[in-house]
């Protein structure tokens, strides 16, 4: 009896201590020990995501593209395009700004703030809609500053920009709940870019005009001084042609006048050009594709479903692990297969 009792106890201990296949898998095995949670959690998240996507309806995306002036005349030319194919970005030369600059400008908080506060007026399903984006998107916040920050964060998601280095073109995509609002967002972005370019060009031209104007006044003084010096020389030396030394001095004074006159003429032309640029209001960018007529609907049902299933699996895994670490988790593991 003693031998038989010891043998039975050994078998019982072996039965208890022998790990199952799920125990060997560790935390992953804990997830599979709760198949109901593993199935129900992704299913619930998937149903919720599909229902929410269908209730919200499709998202409309408007697309446009523009090319900054001067980028097509880059000093690097084809070398920049060739380097872009291998992921190397070379700086663009010329008078225009690079596509990287405009990609940064469009996503700049200052520009997005102006876009958020712009008052829109558009037709939507036969009705006239007015208001800024904070009101149209019902952006929440405790005060106006917080609403504005939340609106900028929302626009940072709704506005996407992609620079095309090979074509020196900037692509803009704006998303909204209606086609009209998506187009209005895109069109206003293009207007803000044009306004920024015009303001920067006029400001730069104004600074250049003031500098050139001051330099022109100095050149006029130098020209008058050179002419006065030659006038005094001729008054004193009426028969200077007879003296080689006096002829050389007269020639030197005349060259001084010629140089001063050339500088004066160049500055006068530059001043006229700067005055024209200061009041010039032509766009610096060329719109290639306008947002009107470039709107498409995106339901994003597939992306939402995939994300919902993934999130459901994560929640199922966390719930299973939490159940395993409860005091009665060992009892659950013992009876998981029963």
């Amino acid at each position: 009896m003693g031998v038989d009792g010891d043998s039975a106890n050994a078998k019982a201990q072996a039965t208890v201590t022998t790990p199952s296949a799920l125990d060997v898998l560790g935390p992953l095995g804990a997830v599979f020990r709760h198949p109901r949670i593993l199935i129900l959690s992704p299913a619930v998240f998937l149903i919720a995501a599909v229902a929410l996507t269908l209730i919200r309806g499709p998202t409309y995306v408007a697309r446009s593209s523009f090319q900054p002036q001067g980028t097509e005349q880059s000093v690097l030319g084809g070398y920049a395009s060739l380097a872009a194919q291998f992921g190397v970005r070379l700086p663009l030369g010329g008078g225009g700004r690079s596509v990287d600059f405009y990609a940064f400008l469009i996503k700049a908080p200052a520009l997005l703030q102006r876009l958020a506060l712009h008052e829109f007026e558009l037709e939507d399903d036969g009705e006239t809609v007015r208001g800024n984006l904070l009101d149209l998107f019902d952006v929440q916040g405790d005060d106006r500053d917080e609403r504005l920050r939340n609106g900028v964060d929302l626009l940072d998601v709704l506005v996407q920009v992609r620079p095309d280095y090979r074509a020196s073109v900037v692509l803009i995509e704006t998303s909204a709940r209606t086609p009209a609002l998506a187009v209005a967002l895109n069109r206003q972005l293009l207007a803000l870019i044009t306004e920024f370019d015009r303001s920067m060009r006029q400001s730069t031209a104004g600074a250049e005009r003031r500098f050139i104007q001051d330099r022109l006044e100095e050149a006029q003084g130098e020209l008058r001084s050179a002419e006065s010096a030659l006038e005094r020389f001729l008054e004193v030396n009426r028969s200077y042609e007879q003296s080689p030394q006096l002829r050389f001095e007269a020639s030197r004074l005349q060259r001084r006048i010629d140089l001063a006159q050339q500088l004066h003429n160049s500055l006068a032309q530059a001043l006229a050009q700067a005055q024209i640029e200061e009041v010039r209001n032509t766009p610096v960018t060329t719109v290639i594709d306008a947002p009107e007529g470039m709107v498409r609907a995106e339901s994003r049902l597939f992306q939402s479903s995939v994300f919902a299933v993934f999130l459901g699996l994560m929640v199922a895994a966390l719930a299973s692990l939490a159940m395993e670490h409860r005091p009665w988790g060992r009892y659950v593991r013992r009876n998981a297969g029963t």
Side-chain angles (χ1 to χ4, degrees):
M1 289 295 293
V3 176
D4 293 339
D6 294 340
S7 177
N9 292 334
K11 291 181 179 180
Q13 292 177 359
T15 302
V16 174
T17 58
T18 300
S20 65
L22 296 180
D23 291 332
V24 174
L25 294 177
L28 186 60
V31 176
F32 286 103
R33 272 193 291 269
H34 304 279
R36 291 183 179 179
I37 298 178
L38 186 62
I39 297 174
L40 288 178
S41 180
V44 170
F45 276 90
L46 177 60
I47 294 173
V50 171
L52 183 61
T53 303
L54 294 178
I55 292 174
R56 294 182 59 184
T59 299
Y60 295 91
V61 180
R63 174 182 293 181
S64 67
S65 61
F66 68 91
Q67 183 180 52
Q69 290 185 7
T71 56
E72 71 276 7
Q73 299 176 352
S74 172
V75 175
L76 298 174
Y79 296 103
S81 299
L82 181 61
Q85 298 180 21
F86 295 93
V88 179
R89 302 177 186 178
L90 297 180
L92 294 172
R97 299 181 179 91
S98 68
V99 293
D100 274 331
F101 170 82
Y102 284 96
F104 173 81
L105 173 65
I106 294 172
K107 301 289 281 187
L111 192 79
L112 295 181
Q113 285 182 4
R114 296 188 59 183
L115 181 61
L117 296 176
H118 177 75
E119 293 293 331
F120 289 91
E121 181 176 351
L122 48 95
E123 295 291 331
D124 188 8
D125 292 335
E127 298 181 358
T128 301
V129 179
R130 297 183 180 87
N132 56 39
L133 294 181
L134 302 181
D135 298 328
L136 295 178
F137 285 98
D138 193 22
V139 178
Q140 302 298 319
D142 295 334
D143 51 26
R144 183 178 181 276
D145 292 338
E146 185 176 355
R147 289 189 67 202
L148 183 58
R149 289 194 298 269
N150 295 336
V152 170
D153 294 338
L154 176 62
L155 285 175
D156 190 57
V157 176
L158 299 179
V159 176
Q160 299 298 324
V161 55
R162 298 199 311 272
D164 188 335
Y165 300 101
R166 297 180 61 184
S168 298
V169 170
V170 182
L171 306 175
I172 303 176
E173 289 185 348
T174 53
S175 303
R177 293 170 293 183
T178 62
L181 184 55
V183 171
L185 278 174
N186 208 303
R187 175 55 66 181
Q188 184 59 26
L189 266 178
L190 294 175
L192 289 175
I193 294 170
T194 301
E195 181 182 349
F196 173 84
D197 278 330
R198 183 186 301 117
S199 176
M200 288 296 296
R201 181 177 58 190
Q202 291 177 349
S203 177
T204 302
E208 291 179 353
R209 176 190 57 78
R210 291 187 292 271
F211 172 79
I212 295 173
Q213 196 165 13
D214 294 340
R215 191 67 186 89
L216 180 61
E217 293 177 358
E218 296 178 2
Q220 289 175 342
E222 294 175 0
L223 178 60
R224 287 194 295 267
S225 176
E227 291 174 343
S228 298
L230 180 60
E231 182 181 8
R232 290 192 299 271
F233 174 83
L234 294 177
E235 289 176 354
V236 175
N237 304 281
R238 297 181 179 275
S239 302
Y240 69 92
E241 292 88 351
Q242 306 300 324
S243 172
Q245 184 177 0
L246 294 178
R247 286 202 307 272
F248 176 80
E249 181 65 19
S251 177
R252 185 183 66 81
L253 293 174
Q254 186 61 49
R255 287 196 305 272
R256 179 185 173 189
I257 292 176
D258 293 341
L259 290 175
Q261 186 66 52
Q262 291 178 6
L263 178 60
H264 179 273
N265 293 341
S266 299
L267 290 172
Q269 293 177 0
L271 178 62
Q273 184 63 32
Q275 290 172 340
I276 294 174
E277 290 293 332
E278 190 175 9
V279 298
R280 188 179 177 186
N281 58 3
T282 56
V284 182
T285 58
T286 302
V287 177
I288 300 175
D289 292 323
E292 292 79 7
M294 300 290 291
V295 185
R296 69 178 187 273
E298 292 185 352
S299 65
R300 298 183 179 178
L301 182 60
F302 177 76
Q303 296 91 329
S304 300
S305 301
V306 172
F307 178 75
V309 171
F310 176 76
L311 184 61
L313 290 174
M314 293 295 296
V315 172
L318 294 176
S320 300
L321 292 175
M323 294 180 66
E324 289 290 314
H325 285 83
R326 289 190 177 187
W328 40 270
R330 184 176 301 175
Y331 173 80
V332 172
R333 290 196 296 271
R334 289 177 180 176
N335 297 274
T338 62

